[in-house]
Amino acid sequence: MNGLAQFLQQISVWALPVIFAITLHEAAHGWVADKLGDPTARMLGRISANPIRHIDPLGTILLPALLLLTAGFAFGYAKPVPVDFRNLRHPRRDTVLVAAAGPTANLLMALIAVGLLYIVPYLPDSAATWLANNCVNAVIVNAVLGTFNMIPLPPLDGGRVAVGLLPRPLGRRLARVEPYGMLIVFLAVFVVPLVSGQLGVPFNPVFELIAPVIDFIIRTLLSLHGGG
C-alpha cells in the first residue's frame, strides 16, 4: 500500500470518531446550559450534531490531518460553545454541570462504540474491519479528549469543575488562572516536549499526567467487549 492509499485508509477510520467526539462534546455543553437556564448556545444554533456548526479550521481539520501524517492518530477540538454563566439558575453548581457535560458525552460515546463492536461479527469482512477500526478509534479519541479536558486548569472543563467544587477562596484563586490557561496548555503540550527533546531529556508533562488515566479508561472499556 502506497503512502497516499495508507493515509486515505487512516482518514476513513479516524474521521468519524474525531468529528463525533469533538462535535457532540461541544453540543453537550450547550444542551446542558440550555436546560439549566442559558439559551445562548441554542439561539446560536450550537446545540447540533451538525459538525459544520462547530468546525474550527485549525482544531477540527488541520490539527487532526497533521497528527495523522506525523503520529498515525487523530485528535482535535471544535469552537467552544458560548455559555453565559450569569444566566444559569444556580451559577456555582450549574457551571460544574455544564463543564462536566462535554467529558461525560465523550464517555457515553466511547460506551456506544464498545456496544457497536458486538455487531461486527455479523457484517461482511470489509465492513466488519472498517466498523471495528472506527469503534476502537472512537474509544481512543473519546478517552483522550475527555481526559484531557478534565485537567483541572481553567478554561479546560476540569478547571471549571474544580473552581465550582473547591472552597470558594481556593476556587476564586484558581479562576484567576483562566486568562493564561490556554497559554499554559500550549507550553506544556508543545513547547516543553520540543525543548526537552532538543536537550536530550524528552519530557511531556501533559502526557505523563494523563496517559495512565487514558490507558485505564481504554482498557476498562474494551474489556467490556472482551478486548481489554
Side-chain angles (χ1 to χ4, degrees):
M1 182 181 296
N2 62 40
L4 177 59
Q6 186 175 12
F7 180 59
L8 292 175
Q9 183 185 52
Q10 285 180 307
I11 288 177
S12 74
V13 296
W14 282 104
L16 287 178
V18 170
I19 289 171
F20 274 110
I22 63 181
T23 295
L24 297 183
H25 175 106
E26 292 300 333
H29 287 310
W31 184 81
V32 172
D34 187 50
K35 297 299 180 184
L36 296 177
D38 176 42
T40 305
R42 174 169 53 81
M43 293 172 64
L44 293 173
R46 294 296 305 279
I47 304 177
S48 171
N50 180 356
I52 295 175
R53 295 186 179 272
H54 305 280
I55 283 177
D56 177 276
L58 175 61
T60 315
I61 299 173
L62 184 59
L63 179 60
L66 288 175
L67 286 173
L68 270 177
L69 282 170
T70 59
F73 74 97
F75 178 69
Y77 58 88
K79 291 186 297 185
V81 163
V83 176
D84 188 341
F85 295 97
R86 296 170 298 180
N87 291 333
L88 300 175
R89 288 187 283 272
H90 304 282
R92 183 173 169 84
R93 181 204 69 184
D94 293 350
T95 294
V96 172
L97 297 176
V98 171
T104 300
N106 291 126
L107 178 59
L108 291 175
M109 282 184 276
L111 286 168
I112 291 170
V114 171
L116 288 174
L117 285 171
Y118 283 97
I119 71 173
V120 166
Y122 304 100
L123 298 175
D125 288 346
S126 59
T129 299
W130 183 84
L131 178 60
N133 287 335
N134 266 279
C135 289
V136 171
N137 289 342
V139 172
I140 294 170
V141 169
N142 281 286
V144 172
L145 185 62
T147 303
F148 177 82
N149 273 282
M150 283 306 293
I151 293 174
L153 177 71
L156 296 178
D157 299 331
R160 292 205 167 113
V161 169
V163 168
L165 294 180
L166 286 170
R168 289 182 185 274
L170 292 176
R172 283 194 291 267
R173 289 181 185 177
L174 182 59
R176 293 192 194 108
V177 177
E178 181 158 348
Y180 317 102
M182 292 313 297
L183 175 60
I184 295 171
V185 169
F186 176 79
L187 292 173
V189 171
F190 296 106
V191 178
V192 171
L194 178 63
V195 173
S196 63
Q198 293 295 319
L199 296 175
V201 283
F203 177 60
N204 188 323
V206 173
F207 179 81
E208 296 290 340
L209 175 67
I210 68 175
V213 179
I214 293 170
D215 183 66
F216 173 78
I217 292 172
I218 292 172
R219 288 181 178 275
T220 301
L221 289 173
L222 291 180
S223 71
L224 298 177
H225 183 260

